[in-house]
């Protein structure tokens, strides 16, 4: 088995800076070596200590001066929204009706879905995203095409077909029975295959009948290791609608909880308008939040309270939420998260930012034992950065005196252009140019 030693400035979070403090939460090894064997990290350390002991035949790849971090983990993104991203002028409910559902209806066509799957996976890799929790369209065939493409790249990716049997146009509607059967067919085919996983994916409470949510709760129990992925408390008109549709529920979160859809396997996107009690209940259940800053700003949904989530010990990861989100780039997503922190009066520390985009996301998706940090034994999903991706970035980075400052500048000025290479399980799957 040949080993590969990648030389560079290795940075990883190993814990939550908000819990253990920024200094204990990270590891930084300038001029280090990341040793990869059999798809896993075999060693991480200083070059001058590791290099003399490398076994004969180890391939050396020299990225001296370049930052190396874990791959990004996108905890909420929509596969069928790449043709209507950046659609003008609406908030959530009209945006769904006018732009989103018509675009998703096109995914009934398997050739369209297969072409889009290739584009989508390539775009993730180009932006340095190595794992994601992905919403499909309502169509099983389209989600099958997405899994097929992710499998080709050996990605650790979780996806599901969208369950939506009411209050949506007929060409993107399933039934409680067909949605359940299609979800089970996809889970039987792909859950646990290679590095893939399945998520039961109710669109959002307004688009799912009681029977559909009951079946979703049942499916979550019937399989080992599934996730549940949905939207929660994103927009005030949406929340009012949920109150009308679920008059017996104590709130939006309760509308899911009463169907068995509030467990530690559940990932809720947005959560912009949760009450204190809802935050607390979510924390007690061990559920996770996908924080989607570019989307929350683009649709005018509101400003997420990261500090509240921290207060209740809730696991949080970052989501791009393409196509309500405006970029596949996790760096751009962190940029907007920083600005939301400023508006909320909370400084988002760059160590915390990169934690949310890597290990925090891995925890939210229950894959932190495998990915999310550069530690011995983990799968070797990592990025090599181009530190001179733009003239401005090259100039600004020269003035950085600490890794903290470098990370901050990358998260504000950086985007896909900063990702020179994306490695998946020890193999290069994207190289710029
Ligand atoms: N709520 C229900 N569906 C969607 C969607 O596609 N995007 C966002 N941002 N929110 C939703
Ligand atoms: Zn979404």
């Amino acid at each position: 088995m040949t080993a590969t030693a990648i030389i560079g400035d290795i940075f990883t979070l190993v814990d939550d800076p908000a819990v253990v403090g920024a200094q204990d939460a990270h590891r930084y090894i300038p001029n280090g070596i990341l040793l990869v064997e059999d798809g896993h990290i075999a060693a991480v350390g200083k070059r001058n200590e590791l290099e003399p002991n490398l076994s004969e035949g180890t391939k050396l790849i020299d990225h001296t001066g370049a930052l190396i971090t874990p791959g990004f983990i996108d905890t909420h993104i929509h596969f069928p929204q790449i043709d209507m991203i950046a659609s003008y002028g609406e908030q959530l409910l009209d945006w769904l009706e006018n732009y989103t559902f018509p675009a998703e209806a096109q995914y009934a066509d398997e050739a369209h879905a297969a072409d889009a799957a290739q584009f989508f996976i390539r775009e993730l890799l180009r932006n340095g995203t190595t794992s994601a929790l992905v919403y499909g369209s309502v169509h099983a065939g389209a989600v099958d095409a997405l899994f097929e493409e992710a499998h080709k790249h050996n990605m650790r990716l979780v996806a599901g077909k969208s369950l939506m049997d009411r209050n949506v146009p007929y060409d993107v509607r399933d039934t409680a029975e067909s949605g359940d059967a299609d979800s089970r067919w996809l889970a039987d085919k792909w859950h646990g295959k290679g590095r893939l996983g399945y998520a039961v994916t109710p669109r959002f409470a307004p688009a799912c009948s009681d029977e559909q949510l009951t079946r979703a709760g049942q499916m979550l129990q019937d399989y080992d290791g599934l996730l549940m992925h949905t939207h929660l408390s994103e927009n005030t008109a949406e929340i009012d609608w949920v109150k009308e549709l679920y008059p017996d529920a104590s709130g939006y979160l309760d509308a899911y909880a009463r169907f068995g859809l509030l467990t530690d396997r559940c990932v809720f996107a947005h959560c912009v308008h949760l009450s204190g009690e809802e935050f607390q209940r979510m924390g007690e259940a061990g559920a996770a939040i996908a924080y989607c800053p570019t989307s929350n700003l683009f649709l005018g949904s509101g400003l997420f309270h990261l500090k509240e989530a921290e207060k209740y010990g809730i696991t949080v990861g970052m989501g791009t939420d393409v196509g309500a989100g405006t970029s596949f780039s996790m760096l751009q997503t962190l940029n907007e998260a920083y600005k939301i922190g400023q508006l909320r009066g909370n400084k988002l520390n760059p160590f915390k930012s990169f934690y949310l985009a890597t290990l925090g996301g891995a925890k939210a998706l229950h894959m932190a034992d495998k990915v999310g940090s550069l530690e011995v034994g983990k799968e070797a999903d990592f990025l090599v950065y181009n530190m001179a991706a733009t003239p401005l970035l090259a100039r600004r980075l020269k003035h950085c005196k600490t890794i903290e400052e470098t990370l901050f500048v990358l998260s504000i000025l950086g985007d896909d252009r900063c990702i020179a290479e994306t490695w998946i399980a020890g193999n290069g799957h994207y190289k710029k140019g």
Side-chain angles (χ1 to χ4, degrees):
M1 185 67 55
T2 49
T4 309
I6 296 101
I7 297 165
D9 298 339
I10 300 165
F11 176 82
T12 187
L13 274 307
V14 294
D15 213 327
D16 185 347
V19 175
V20 302
Q23 295 316 312
D24 289 339
H26 82 275
R27 304 277 180 272
Y28 178 52
I29 310 170
N31 200 20
I33 279 183
L34 184 73
L35 184 67
V36 176
E37 269 175 30
D38 196 18
H40 290 72
I41 297 171
V44 199
K46 292 181 182 161
R47 180 179 182 176
N48 58 3
E49 290 172 8
L50 289 187
E51 197 170 7
N53 301 315
L54 293 177
S55 48
E56 206 178 314
T58 300
K59 189 173 166 196
L60 266 183
I61 300 183
D62 193 348
H63 287 299
T64 297
L67 183 68
I68 294 175
T69 73
F72 293 128
I73 297 188
D74 189 338
T75 60
H76 181 69
I77 183 165
H78 294 256
F79 157 49
Q81 296 182 6
I82 50 182
D83 291 313
M84 45 62 69
I85 184 172
S87 288
Y88 175 75
E90 308 291 9
Q91 293 212 351
L92 177 65
L93 299 176
D94 292 328
W95 174 86
L96 285 170
E97 199 71 24
N98 296 340
Y99 299 118
T100 314
F101 295 141
E104 294 195 10
Q106 305 306 310
Y107 284 69
D109 179 322
E110 298 203 352
H112 176 77
D115 172 70
Q118 260 190 20
F119 179 90
F120 180 83
I121 294 292
R122 169 88 181 157
E123 210 49 19
L124 289 179
L125 295 173
R126 232 173 49 70
N127 281 277
T129 297
T130 50
S131 286
L133 176 58
V134 186
Y135 251 82
S137 66
V138 71
H139 316 96
V143 178
D144 193 43
L146 176 71
F147 275 125
E148 195 81 61
E149 195 60 29
H151 193 52
K152 277 188 205 155
H153 289 279
N154 194 24
M155 290 178 82
R156 188 162 284 292
L157 182 134
V158 183
K161 84 147 222 111
S162 196
L163 295 164
M164 39 206 285
D165 70 345
R166 65 166 175 167
N167 295 325
V168 295
Y170 284 96
D171 58 357
V172 289
R173 202 181 278 206
D174 57 9
T175 65
E177 295 78 14
S178 74
D180 190 36
D182 284 349
S183 301
R184 286 172 189 265
W185 176 74
L186 284 164
D188 290 340
K189 183 168 177 187
W190 293 108
H191 185 61
K193 184 164 179 176
R195 302 173 81 212
L196 301 173
Y198 195 79
V200 183
T201 308
R203 183 73 193 222
F204 65 157
C208 301
S209 66
D210 283 12
E211 183 178 355
Q212 185 156 64
L213 292 180
T214 303
R215 284 172 180 263
Q218 187 60 49
M219 182 169 170
L220 190 58
Q221 281 185 26
D222 288 349
Y223 289 74
D224 271 347
L226 291 189
L227 295 180
M228 196 287 294
H229 181 200
T230 196
H231 296 97
L232 173 63
S233 251
E234 176 177 4
N235 165 286
T236 51
E238 171 209 22
I239 294 165
D240 291 343
W241 195 19
V242 171
K243 274 190 198 133
E244 276 170 37
L245 292 169
Y246 296 87
D248 298 336
S250 62
Y252 197 161
L253 180 62
D254 191 51
Y256 291 121
R258 54 189 40 225
F259 296 101
L261 299 175
L262 176 59
T263 74
D264 67 346
R265 310 287 315 177
C266 296
V267 181
F268 294 97
H270 305 296
C271 301
V272 172
H273 305 284
L274 288 188
S275 66
E277 287 101 67
E278 286 178 312
F279 269 120
Q280 183 173 355
R281 192 171 178 195
M282 198 176 260
E284 284 164 3
I289 294 176
Y291 174 19
C292 307
T294 75
S295 166
N296 297 157
L297 294 173
F298 181 74
L299 291 182
S301 301
L303 308 176
F304 178 64
H305 292 258
L306 182 59
K307 285 283 162 215
E308 280 292 289
E310 279 177 355
K311 182 169 134 193
Y312 291 102
I314 298 171
T315 304
V316 179
M318 298 307 299
T320 60
D321 195 26
V322 162
T326 50
S327 175
F328 272 79
S329 169
M330 197 50 80
L331 296 171
Q332 275 306 294
T333 305
L334 297 179
N335 175 352
E336 303 288 272
Y338 177 78
K339 293 170 188 167
I340 288 176
Q342 289 289 64
L343 288 169
R344 280 247 169 255
N346 295 315
K347 278 185 214 163
L348 180 57
N349 172 279
F351 290 143
K352 177 76 185 199
S353 275
F354 276 77
Y355 171 78
L356 292 171
T358 56
L359 190 56
K363 286 187 178 163
L365 306 192
H366 288 263
M367 42 176 83
D369 55 331
K370 301 186 178 69
V371 294
S373 63
L374 301 178
E375 294 175 274
V376 171
K378 285 209 177 174
E379 296 165 351
D381 287 1
F382 64 92
L383 311 176
V384 180
Y385 290 64
N386 176 0
M387 310 303 277
T390 68
L392 181 62
L393 193 67
R395 188 176 177 114
R396 176 64 182 90
L397 285 174
K398 284 203 187 102
H399 298 287
C400 291
K401 295 189 178 58
T402 62
I403 182 63
E404 193 168 2
E405 195 182 353
T406 298
L407 293 169
F408 182 65
V409 170
L410 280 168
S411 76
I412 299 302
L413 298 181
D415 54 28
D416 56 313
R417 292 169 291 183
C418 295
I419 308 303
E421 295 181 15
T422 302
W423 289 65
I424 303 275
N427 290 302
H429 279 256
Y430 166 74
K431 191 170 184 151
K432 199 173 170 62

